[in-house]
Amino acid sequence: MAAPFEWIDTHTHLARDYSRAELEKFFEGGHCKGIWLHSIECFKNSPRHCGNDEVLKIAKLYPEFVHPFAYCRAEQNPDQIRMLKDAGFTGLKFIDPLYNYDDPRFFPFYAEAEKLNMPCYFHVGCIAK
């Protein structure tokens, strides 16, 4: 089953000091069709970025535009993916993994995400394997 939105190759995080007026102006400006908005709870108590609750709040205000992604790690229980979906997340972000992304320990996460039609985003680069 295809995801309900187009695939993109970038994402953003919600800054703690975001301006609701600036968000509204951006969303109404028509400069892009939508954004993948990521939770930053992988970096506990981030002084710069919002966590799950605020990301979901913005996504619920702009459901046709904002696609919230939850942070996911291999040491979590794959059953938690259902809870993330039920909370309102539409996808998963994998970052700074304990294992390579093709490690079989990740396969239950990928299988559950596929079953729930949740795209996965894999952070690659300086903090990924």
Side-chain angles (χ1 to χ4, degrees):
M1 177 182 284
F5 49 90
E6 293 184 28
W7 295 92
I8 59 171
D9 62 2
T10 190
H11 70 280
T12 189
H13 299 281
L14 187 63
R16 285 196 183 273
D17 61 350
Y18 74 92
S19 161
R20 186 72 180 278
E22 288 298 313
L23 275 181
E24 298 241 353
K25 188 165 54 171
F26 174 74
F27 294 152
E28 293 170 3
H31 301 293
C32 65
K33 292 180 184 178
I35 58 173
W36 290 12
L37 192 59
H38 289 256
S39 143
I40 198 69
E41 295 198 353
C42 50
F43 304 109
K44 295 198 188 301
N45 301 319
S46 170
R48 299 179 313 158
H49 300 101
C50 296
N52 288 346
D53 292 341
E54 194 67 17
V55 166
L56 287 172
K57 176 181 156 187
I58 296 300
K60 287 176 183 170
L61 290 173
Y62 305 97
E64 298 300 316
F65 193 82
V66 176
H67 307 286
F69 276 56
Y71 171 65
C72 193
R73 290 191 61 108
E75 67 270 17
Q76 290 175 292
N77 183 328
D79 294 337
Q80 291 177 310
I81 295 174
R82 166 61 71 185
M83 292 173 14
L84 294 169
K85 176 75 171 186
D86 291 345
F89 286 102
T90 59
L92 301 173
K93 177 182 182 176
F94 291 84
I95 183 173
D96 196 20
L98 296 176
Y99 323 108
N100 291 331
Y101 291 135
D102 62 352
D103 189 288
R105 287 171 275 204
F106 276 121
F107 294 174
F109 292 90
Y110 304 153
E112 187 67 15
E114 181 178 30
K115 184 169 74 173
L116 297 173
N117 197 30
M118 296 177 78
C120 295
Y121 181 92
F122 300 91
H123 194 285
V124 296
C126 62
I127 61 171
K129 295 178 180 166

